[in-house]
């Protein structure tokens, strides 16, 4: 009887070795042997979100929107949002930026946890009334898309020193103003976030003038909304 028991135990050990040892070897080779307490599935734990770099806190702002309502960072507390600098009479890159933002709005329309901020760098012209007319002409329907105006010096300081996104006056260029065509992505906790380029460097901001940049920011908005 004892011999039969030993034979049975030996058989179990043999089967265990055949089934489990290769798994252990594979995990050692991959460096994941300590990723879980047992030989069960190791969960990713939201690793996709970790691919987005945290650049720093979004600069504080307090401006007036197209409905004469004061908008601040706190307006977007707990929300993911995108920021751009533009002006309504821009004859060059702004129309393209507007269309890019409309594509983003359309994809996330109705999501209360997402918003858009468009800050005018020509606030003397772009009053709340003008901004509201512009939003209507664009076909904006989201209540979470705010077109903002305020003091020109304040806005230039916010763009150039706060975000490091160039904005300035230049009488030699069409429209009289120069500015970046980049979009800033802000997470639920108020931090600027971005993906890395092919070399592993943070891109900082997303190109609002190219389809590739719009696609990338849409993908990363989804990641942040799921955090």
């Amino acid at each position: 009887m004892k011999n039969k028991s030993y034979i049975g135990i030996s058989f179990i050990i043999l089967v265990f070795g055949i089934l489990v040892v290769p798994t252990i070897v594979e995990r050692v080779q991959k460096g994941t042997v300590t990723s879980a307490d047992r030989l069960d599935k190791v969960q990713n734990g939201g690793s996709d979100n970790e691919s987005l770099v945290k650049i720093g806190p979004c600069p504080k702002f307090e401006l007036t929107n197209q409905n004469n309502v004061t908008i601040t960072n706190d307006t977007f507390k707990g929300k993911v949002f995108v920021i751009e600098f533009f002006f309504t009479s821009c004859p060059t890159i702004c129309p393209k930026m507007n269309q890019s933002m409309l594509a983003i709005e359309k994809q996330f329309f109705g999501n209360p946890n997402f918003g858009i901020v468009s800050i005018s760098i020509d606030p003397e012209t772009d009053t709340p009334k003008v901004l509201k007319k512009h939003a209507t002409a664009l076909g904006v329907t989201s209540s979470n898309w705010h077109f903002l105006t305020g003091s020109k010096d304040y806005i230039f300081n916010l763009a150039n020193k706060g975000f490091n996104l160039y904005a300035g006056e230049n009488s030699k260029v069409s429209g009289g103003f120069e500015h970046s065509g980049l979009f800033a992505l802000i997470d639920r906790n108020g931090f600027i976030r971005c993906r890395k380029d092919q070399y592993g460097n943070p891109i900082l901001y997303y190109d609002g003038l190219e389809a590739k940049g719009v696609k990338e920011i849409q993908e990363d908005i989804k990641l942040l909304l799921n955090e």
Side-chain angles (χ1 to χ4, degrees), residues 1-17:
M1 290 295 292
K2 288 184 178 180
N3 290 337
K4 291 182 178 180
S5 297
Y6 291 144
I7 292 171
I9 293 171
S10 299
F11 179 74
I12 292 172
I13 292 173
L14 177 61
V15 171
F16 178 83

Side-chain angles (χ1 to χ4, degrees), residues 140-155:
V140 173
T141 55
S142 173
S143 60
N144 285 329
W145 188 343
H146 298 277
F147 291 82
L148 304 183
T149 189
S151 162
K152 183 167 64 176
D153 290 340
Y154 180 92
I155 290 172

Side-chain angles (χ1 to χ4, degrees), residues 48-145:
D48 286 343
N49 295 16
E50 294 172 3
S51 66
L52 298 183
V53 180
K54 185 182 290 186
I55 302 302
C58 174
K60 298 293 183 182
F61 61 87
E62 182 175 336
L63 295 163
T64 304
N65 77 357
Q66 68 270 33
N67 297 313
N68 275 302
V69 175
T70 298
I71 302 298
T72 71
N73 304 70
D74 289 339
T75 304
F76 296 93
K77 191 173 183 180
K79 302 177 188 292
V80 176
F81 63 106
V82 179
I83 291 181
E84 68 168 344
F85 291 89
F86 87 116
F87 61 109
T88 62
S89 60
C90 173
T92 54
I93 65 175
C94 293
K96 178 60 177 175
M97 294 171 68
N98 288 161
Q99 292 304 310
S100 295
M101 279 297 190
L102 283 169
I104 295 170
E105 179 208 29
K106 182 177 180 181
Q107 180 165 357
F108 299 99
F109 182 79
N111 191 324
N113 297 314
F114 175 72
I116 298 174
V117 175
S118 297
I119 303 175
S120 174
I121 62 169
D122 183 15
E124 294 174 355
T125 299
D126 291 338
T127 61
K129 182 178 180 179
V130 170
L131 290 175
K132 189 163 188 173
K133 184 178 180 181
H134 181 74
T136 300
L138 284 176
V140 173
T141 55
S142 173
S143 60
N144 285 329
W145 188 343

